[in-house]
Amino acid sequence: PRAGAPRPLPPLSALHFPITRGFECRGVMADVQDGHYDSSTDSLRVEPIYESFLCPLTKQIMRDPVTLESGATFEREAILKWFKESDSSGRSLVCPITRKELSSTELNPSIALRNTIDEWMHRNEAAKLDVACKSLTSENSEHDTLQALEYVVEICQRSRSSRHVVRKLGLISLISELLKNSSTKVRQKALESLCFVAKDDNDNKDEIAAGDNIRTIVKFLSHGHVQEKEQAASLLYELSQYKPLSEKIGSVPGAILILVGLSSSKIENLFTVDRADKTLVNLESCEKNVRQMAENGRLQPLLRLLLEGSADTQLSMAAYVGELVLTNDVKVFVAQTAGSALVNIMKSGNREAREAALKALNQISSYDVSAKILIEAGILPPLIADLFTVGSNQLPMKLKEVSATILANVVASGANFQSIPLDHNRQTLVSEEIVHNLLHLISNTGPATECKLLQVLVGLTSSSTTVQGIVDAIKSSGATVSLIQFVEAPQREVRMASIKLLNNISPCMGQELAEAFRGNFSQLSSLIRVIADNNGISEEQAPAAGLVADLPLQDSVLTRRLVEDGAFTTIISKVIMIRQGESRGGRFVNPFLEGLVRIVSRITFILEDDPDIIAVAREYNLTALFSDLLQMNGLDTVQIVSATALGNLSGQSKHLTKILPPPNAGLCFSIFPCLSQKSVETGVCRVHHGICSSRESFCLLEGKVVEKLVACLDHNNEKVVEASLTALSTLLDDGVDIDQGVMVLCDAEGVKPILDVLCENRTEALRQRAVWAVERILRTDEIAYEISGNQNVSTALVEAFRHGDFRTRQIAERALKHVDKLPNFSGIFSKIGAQ
């Protein structure tokens, strides 16, 4: 084009205008087919659409028609967009129809045309609603039903008054019935229609929610197709915006659970997830719904009310937290979010508020991670104050029980209570005065609180860093006897807590406990009854066995009492049942078995010069029992105790072996003693030179235990090695044939493992034991000669000679002489105490 000439206009089809919701010309004409509603039973005419109703730019029915100076009429929004695009592209302003340049952009409202269009639309809406009513009240094809629902959707989008008309015509109930239609398309369209009907109209929402419609809508959320689920979520969201319906929606069984699941779903489409979440936000206006959400894992609304609600609401929400069953992760979340607020209520609230806070804290504190968070929030000082306060301000006993439960939960978390001050005096839970107060309270309260306070002491004595402080306080308060009396309590929980506490402190005060039991044997008998219970292996039995096992091993009075009560018969039968896999008990089996084996081993510590106890050991064939238990790999304590017991038994063999009288020498041999030779008795133990047996004399050789003990010398646990070596050393002890004992070890291939133990030098105790055994072995010249060239053994003996204690250095000196590493005239050490 020549310079200055207007630029050519783009074709109308190239312009982009927003589509205003309304009746598209093409769609309307197709619907009405030249202005007639096609039905064999209805003669309704729908007025045809007029060309003048349509905007030339959008081809849509105009809602706000305006006229230009050119006389052409357009939709206001469309012509304004035309002007804006022309201006931004540098084109002259022209009329889109006439192409004439405009001198003004003034827009004159076409009121008459607008009124005509409105009247036309109202007439057509009425006709379409009539069509919809007739289609929905009779049996029609899927197509006709969908068309009727589309009419409703179109009409409802016009205005609120249109939605009011839909309700007045009774269409809501008709559409609601279609939610149960067999056609997926019809159900989906019905849900969509109800969404438009409900929008911004509370009366319509009330009618939609009538009957069991909400229940039906909720079912689509869990069982519907994807589109049905999406439309149902939208409809429920619309309904939830009307507060009076919040409680009704929440009262539908499973509604909130399904919505919570959808709101956190990773597989549903984002629109459905968003609608479910926003619906839940709307439902928070009802406290009942908030509680249901909390039950189903959506805690934020409840905690928000707990932190920000009115005093009554806070009280209600705190109490409800105490009623909830929370997962551990949720307990942590609640502790982090509301822990400090609940602790503050404990400190300053009225009695009712404190009760609610205590119940909530009881629930939260039952997980160690959340309990530690509460400790950081300062829960310990008010807890202790609640427990110890007396007088008019004290809590009722029922609430003291809750406080004691929380304290037990908190202590079970394993925090470092030595560093957590309770008051300005810097006292802690393990301070003597606090422990004294706890012990006093235990003795002056009911069984439920007794149990929880005993559990507090159980928790404090479970830590190696705090147990001694508790033991010292128990001793200084003289509470040992009063604590032991609880082992006879009729309440199982009290009895179990007491037994656990006594088991924890028994390594530190075994002698005091033994004295108390000697003063009242019935309490010891009560423990044995607990151990003897045959209903599986319980949490109570393991510490009961551990407690009895920790009593001083050399206390013959207690051991004899156990014999008299038949305790060993019961205990040994249980050991055998566990060994044979006949007893069940899960995590309690191993500690229970360890305790039982330790109790049985008590017999072996008081064998010396006691025929009655020796008879008991024979009766139960303890050598065979401990020989079998020695092979329980993975249970180090059982192996240590078994090896120790076998050593104790074997130490008595030299006294119990049956020595045969020497053979009668004949006259010839008396006259000619040179003809006499030392006879070798058949059936005689070569180590003990008598008739031995595993059962009667506890002989390791006859019991075929030597090889089993040798195998334990290679164990990773030094205590197992030490106990096994000690037992084997009884074959080299004074009073037996040491040379034959060495030969027995050789036959069992035990010499090299003993030398290895010496060379490894794992612990001082092992070195002392190994030096002693090696010196005895080296008394056999052939072995001494062979080992003399072993540099490792020589070095180990030299190290023991240089760095061992007095006795070990003496023994190492003799061993070095055996391998010619020291001259025989060496007099460095005196012979006092030599063995």
Side-chain angles (χ1 to χ4, degrees):
R2 66 180 183 276
R7 297 184 182 180
L9 297 173
L12 292 179
S13 60
L15 298 177
H16 302 286
F17 294 97
I19 303 298
T20 305
R21 292 294 299 181
F23 300 96
E24 293 188 15
C25 178
R26 184 184 312 164
V28 172
M29 297 303 291
D31 288 345
V32 299
Q33 296 185 353
D34 297 327
H36 291 82
Y37 174 71
D38 186 14
S39 173
S40 58
T41 60
D42 190 83
S43 59
L44 174 70
R45 281 180 174 274
V46 177
E47 292 184 33
I49 191 167
Y50 299 96
E51 188 71 26
S52 60
F53 291 0
L54 303 178
C55 173
L57 293 176
T58 65
K59 304 304 182 185
Q60 303 289 320
I61 296 174
M62 291 182 285
R63 299 297 179 87
D64 185 12
V66 292
T67 304
L68 303 181
E69 64 181 29
S70 64
T73 301
F74 302 90
E75 177 68 46
R76 181 187 295 274
E77 184 179 351
I79 193 60
L80 288 175
K81 183 176 179 63
W82 169 273
F83 290 162
K84 183 178 180 180
E85 289 187 355
S86 297
D87 183 60
S88 63
S89 62
R91 297 193 305 266
S92 299
L93 290 179
V94 297
C95 172
I97 301 300
T98 65
R99 300 293 198 231
K100 291 182 180 180
E101 190 168 344
L102 300 172
S103 60
S104 170
T105 58
E106 183 180 356
L107 304 177
N108 298 308
S110 182
I111 297 174
L113 178 58
R114 184 173 63 191
N115 291 339
T116 302
I117 291 173
D118 286 344
E119 291 172 4
W120 178 88
M121 292 189 73
H122 283 306
R123 290 194 300 273
N124 276 278
E125 283 178 7
K128 288 194 173 187
L129 285 174
D130 190 43
V131 170
C133 286
K134 292 181 178 181
S135 294
L136 297 178
T137 53
S138 60
E139 292 292 333
N140 278 291
S141 66
E142 180 184 272
H143 176 271
D144 288 344
T145 303
L146 291 173
Q147 183 65 70
L149 292 172
E150 181 60 33
Y151 284 163
V152 173
V153 170
E154 291 175 356
I155 291 166
C156 285
Q157 290 181 87
R158 260 188 65 79
S159 65
R160 190 174 184 277
S161 61
S162 299
R163 295 191 284 275
H164 176 76
V165 171
V166 167
R167 183 180 73 255
K168 289 297 184 182
L169 290 174
L171 285 173
I172 291 177
S173 60
L174 297 177
I175 298 171
S176 298
E177 285 297 316
L178 294 177
L179 296 178
K180 301 173 184 177
N181 194 279
S182 60
S183 167
T184 301
K185 290 182 179 179
V186 170
R187 294 195 303 269
Q188 181 185 335
K189 195 65 179 178
L191 288 166
E192 180 188 2
S193 302
L194 290 174
C195 277
F196 285 105
V197 171
K199 191 169 182 63
D200 300 326
D201 194 314
N202 292 337
D203 292 331
N204 284 7
K205 290 175 183 177
D206 263 332
E207 190 163 333
I208 292 171
D212 67 345
N213 286 343
I214 291 181
R215 180 174 175 274
T216 303
I217 296 167
V218 168
K219 285 176 65 177
F220 285 113
L221 294 178
S222 58
H223 300 296
H225 293 80
V226 175
Q227 291 82 2
E228 288 178 323
K229 192 177 294 187
E230 185 176 313
Q231 293 295 346
S234 293
L235 177 53
L236 210 56
Y237 168 65
E238 285 294 337
L239 297 177
S240 69
Q241 294 185 80
Y242 184 38
K243 285 188 178 182
L245 291 182
S246 289
E247 185 172 352
K248 188 167 186 177
I249 295 172
S251 67
V252 174
I256 287 180
L257 172 60
I258 293 170
L259 286 168
V260 169
L262 285 175
S263 69
S264 58
S265 174
K266 304 297 183 185
I267 59 174
E268 298 291 344
N269 70 57
L270 295 178
F271 179 83
T272 302
V273 171
D274 177 69
R275 280 292 176 264
D277 187 68
K278 288 180 177 177
T279 300
L280 287 169
V281 171
N282 291 336
L283 296 182
E284 291 174 15
S285 61
C286 173
E287 277 193 23
K288 289 182 180 179
N289 294 341
V290 170
R291 295 185 180 205
Q292 278 199 68
M293 292 177 202
E295 284 178 11
N296 294 297
R298 188 179 173 100
L299 268 293
Q300 295 92 332
L302 183 146
L303 297 179
R304 189 159 48 249
L305 290 177
L306 175 60
L307 297 173
E308 302 170 5
S310 65
D312 289 342
T313 299
Q314 288 181 336
L315 178 63
S316 173
M317 294 300 105
Y320 194 65
V321 171
E323 298 173 13
L324 289 172
V325 177
L326 305 176
T327 64
N328 288 339
D329 287 345
V330 173
K331 289 174 187 175
V332 172
F333 174 72
V334 175
Q336 291 170 334
T337 307
S340 294
L342 290 169
V343 170
N344 288 334
I345 293 174
M346 272 185 66
K347 293 177 180 177
S348 56
N350 58 34
R351 179 165 295 181
E352 188 179 7
R354 289 166 69 192
E355 179 177 358
L358 283 171
K359 289 180 178 178
L361 291 166
N362 184 26
Q363 176 70 263
I364 304 167
S365 64
S366 58
Y367 179 47
D368 55 354
V369 177
S370 53
K372 288 178 179 177
I373 295 171
L374 294 178
I375 292 172
E376 293 177 3
I379 194 173
L380 283 176
L383 266 184
I384 294 299
D386 281 348
L387 284 169
F388 293 165
T389 298
V390 294
S392 58
N393 292 326
Q394 70 176 347
L395 287 177
M397 190 52 66
K398 193 65 180 175
L399 289 186
K400 281 200 173 186
E401 179 187 336
V402 179
S403 295
T405 303
I406 297 170
L407 184 58
N409 291 341
V410 168
V411 168
S413 70
N416 181 14
F417 295 101
Q418 288 178 305
S419 61
I420 303 172
L422 300 178
D423 53 29
H424 62 279
N425 294 323
R426 309 297 294 177
Q427 289 196 103
T428 69
L429 270 181
V430 295
S431 297
E432 186 176 57
E433 183 180 346
I434 298 297
V435 178
H436 283 177
N437 288 336
L438 288 172
L439 292 169
H440 176 76
L441 194 55
I442 289 171
S443 300
N444 294 277
T445 189
T449 305
E450 282 173 356
C451 178
K452 296 306 177 182
L453 294 177
L454 285 170
Q455 288 175 6
V456 170
L457 294 179
V458 170
L460 293 174
T461 54
S462 296
S463 168
S464 59
T465 60
T466 55
V467 62
Q468 190 58 55
I470 305 301
V471 167
D472 292 341
I474 290 173
K475 288 180 179 179
S476 63
S477 67
T480 305
V481 173
S482 61
L483 289 176
I484 287 180
Q485 71 182 2
F486 288 114
V487 303
E488 296 182 292
Q491 300 85 8
R492 180 179 180 274
E493 293 297 321
V494 174
R495 186 176 64 243
M496 181 165 64
S498 170
I499 291 172
K500 285 183 175 180
L501 172 59
L502 295 171
N503 181 44
N504 285 351
I505 64 177
S506 57
C508 302
M509 52 187 303
Q511 192 61 49
E512 290 84 352
L513 294 175
E515 291 173 3
F517 280 123
R518 283 199 297 270
N520 190 343
F521 282 124
S522 67
Q523 292 161 349
L524 184 62
S525 298
S526 295
L527 288 175
I528 299 303
R529 283 194 295 274
V530 170
I531 293 169
D533 186 79
N534 286 321
N535 293 323
I537 299 173
S538 68
E539 185 180 3
E540 184 180 16
Q541 288 177 298
L547 171 56
V548 176
D550 278 335
L551 298 175
L553 294 170
Q554 287 82 11
D555 193 321
S556 61
V557 175
L558 290 180
T559 302
R560 287 178 180 280
R561 181 67 190 195
L562 293 173
V563 172
E564 292 170 13
D565 285 350
F568 289 108
T569 301
T570 300
I571 292 170
I572 290 173
S573 67
K574 283 195 168 292
V575 170
I576 293 171
M577 288 175 65
I578 294 173
R579 184 73 172 107
Q580 295 174 348
E582 297 176 13
S583 291
R584 302 183 309 276
R587 59 194 175 97
F588 305 118
V589 172
N590 290 348
F592 185 48
L593 177 61
E594 290 170 358
L596 295 178
V597 174
R598 289 165 61 206
I599 295 172
V600 176
S601 75
R602 295 179 64 88
I603 298 173
T604 70
F605 284 87
I606 58 171
L607 291 168
E608 192 78 38
D609 300 324
D610 196 326
D612 292 338
I613 297 300
I614 289 172
V616 172
R618 287 170 172 167
E619 177 187 353
Y620 295 123
N621 196 6
L622 292 190
T623 304
L625 176 66
F626 286 116
S627 174
D628 179 59
L629 293 171
L630 188 65
Q631 300 175 85
M632 295 196 72
N633 295 321
L635 293 178
D636 291 4
T637 299
V638 172
Q639 290 183 297
I640 293 168
V641 173
S642 297
T644 302
L646 286 168
N648 294 340
L649 290 165
S650 179
Q652 298 301 311
S653 295
K654 60 189 177 185
H655 306 302
L656 301 177
T657 188
K658 186 177 180 181
I659 304 296
L660 296 177
N664 244 342
L667 179 62
C668 182
F669 293 122
S670 300
I671 300 173
F672 303 102
C674 60
L675 299 176
S676 175
Q677 293 183 1
K678 185 177 181 180
S679 62
V680 178
E681 299 285 349
T682 59
V684 173
C685 175
R686 54 179 174 159
V687 176
H688 301 115
H689 293 300
I691 302 298
C692 279
S693 73
S694 168
R695 187 178 197 121
E696 297 297 321
S697 65
F698 318 133
C699 180
L700 299 182
L701 183 59
E702 293 299 322
K704 300 187 173 17
V705 186
V706 177
E707 290 80 0
K708 297 175 184 178
L709 288 167
V710 168
C712 289
L713 295 179
D714 192 37
H715 203 283
N716 290 328
N717 189 325
E718 293 89 351
K719 296 291 185 182
V720 175
V721 177
E722 183 180 348
S724 301
L725 182 55
T726 300
L728 289 170
S729 296
T730 59
L731 300 175
L732 308 174
D733 210 349
D734 294 338
V736 305
D737 190 326
I738 296 176
D739 289 339
Q740 288 301 314
V742 173
M743 290 302 103
V744 167
L745 291 175
C746 286
D747 293 343
E749 298 182 355
V751 172
K752 183 179 182 303
I754 293 174
L755 295 174
D756 290 341
V757 171
L758 171 67
C759 295
E760 288 169 3
N761 191 21
R762 293 160 75 177
T763 68
E764 183 59 30
L766 260 182
R767 177 164 71 175
Q768 292 174 3
R769 176 53 59 185
V771 168
W772 184 93
V774 168
E775 189 276 327
R776 298 278 168 138
I777 292 170
L778 293 178
R779 293 180 186 183
T780 302
D781 292 340
E782 293 83 353
I783 295 177
Y785 176 76
E786 184 177 345
I787 291 176
S788 63
N790 188 322
Q791 190 59 44
N792 290 332
V793 174
S794 299
T795 300
L797 289 172
V798 169
E799 286 298 304
F801 175 68
R802 293 177 58 204
H803 303 295
D805 61 15
F806 180 77
R807 182 172 177 273
T808 301
R809 292 166 68 187
Q810 282 186 311
I811 299 170
E813 179 188 11
R814 292 201 298 271
L816 287 168
K817 289 178 180 179
H818 294 322
V819 292
D820 296 330
K821 298 299 180 181
L822 280 176
N824 284 330
F825 54 81
S826 173
I828 297 176
F829 299 104
S830 73
K831 300 302 181 182
I832 298 174
Q835 297 185 19

